[in-house]
Amino acid sequence: MQIRSKAYLQFISVWRSLRDLMPPTDGDAPAGTSLSLLYAAVVLALLLTILEIDTHRSELEPTGLVTNNYAVEPIFMSP
């Protein structure tokens, strides 16, 4: 039996709830958006969010949204 992390299970739960929101497609009617295109858009939006947070880390630290509780060498962080 594999042990899955809470983040993985939460991601699957969110993915299933998003899938339930989409209307089912008929065999003879063309689909409006392909699922792979939607998946790619979600992944790219997530990566953009991560990069924006990393870029503006020094501005977000005083607000308490981002903390520096881990010991990472500054050379490994983006400028």
Side-chain angles (χ1 to χ4, degrees):
M1 180 177 167
Q2 280 185 324
I3 298 174
R4 295 194 172 122
S5 68
K6 289 174 84 174
Y8 174 77
L9 295 175
Q10 186 177 9
F11 173 75
I12 295 298
S13 173
V14 169
W15 183 256
R16 286 183 180 162
S17 66
L18 288 175
R19 188 179 63 186
D20 291 341
L21 292 175
M22 291 186 278
T25 57
D26 295 335
D28 40 289
T33 307
S34 72
L35 291 178
S36 58
L37 181 62
L38 180 64
Y39 178 74
V42 169
V43 168
L44 289 174
L46 179 66
L47 288 175
L48 178 65
T49 304
I50 291 171
L51 288 174
E52 286 293 323
I53 289 174
D54 189 41
T55 302
H56 300 289
R57 178 178 299 275
S58 63
E59 297 170 9
L60 293 173
E61 280 182 1
T63 64
L65 293 173
V66 176
T67 60
N68 195 7
N69 293 339
Y70 49 89
V72 175
E73 295 292 326
I75 196 167
F76 295 119
M77 300 181 86
S78 67

